[in-house]
Amino acid sequence: MVEILKGCKECQALTELNKCPHCGGKISSDWSGYFVIIDHTRSRIAKKMAINFNGKFALKVR
Ligand SMILES: [Zn+2]
């Protein structure tokens, strides 16, 4: 089964759910870019994007 991920418009987290499990924000299937935060305390990207949890993220969510 193919995992269909959607991106959160608020925090850019990727999820298969219909609502963001992290912030409860709206999600969109129109996203691009992909990155994984393994350790948000040591990630420069996480710091820049104000991400305070680990997971999969989209660079852009429209
Ligand atoms: Zn979110």
Side-chain angles (χ1 to χ4, degrees):
M1 194 183 141
V2 179
E3 199 181 8
I4 299 165
L5 291 171
K6 286 159 276 186
C8 173
K9 289 181 179 180
E10 306 297 326
C11 68
Q12 277 141 289
L14 290 172
T15 176
E16 317 91 273
L17 305 173
N18 291 321
K19 206 178 175 188
C20 177
H22 303 289
C23 71
K26 284 184 182 174
I27 54 147
S28 169
S29 54
D30 188 9
W31 57 271
S32 62
Y34 177 90
F35 64 95
V36 178
I37 300 287
I38 295 159
D39 184 353
H40 68 87
T41 59
R42 295 173 66 181
S43 167
R44 269 186 289 165
I45 306 167
K47 204 173 181 184
K48 197 177 165 189
M49 295 174 70
I51 291 164
N52 55 10
F53 52 90
N54 303 325
K56 292 175 270 187
F57 297 87
L59 278 177
K60 271 184 188 171
V61 180
R62 281 173 291 266

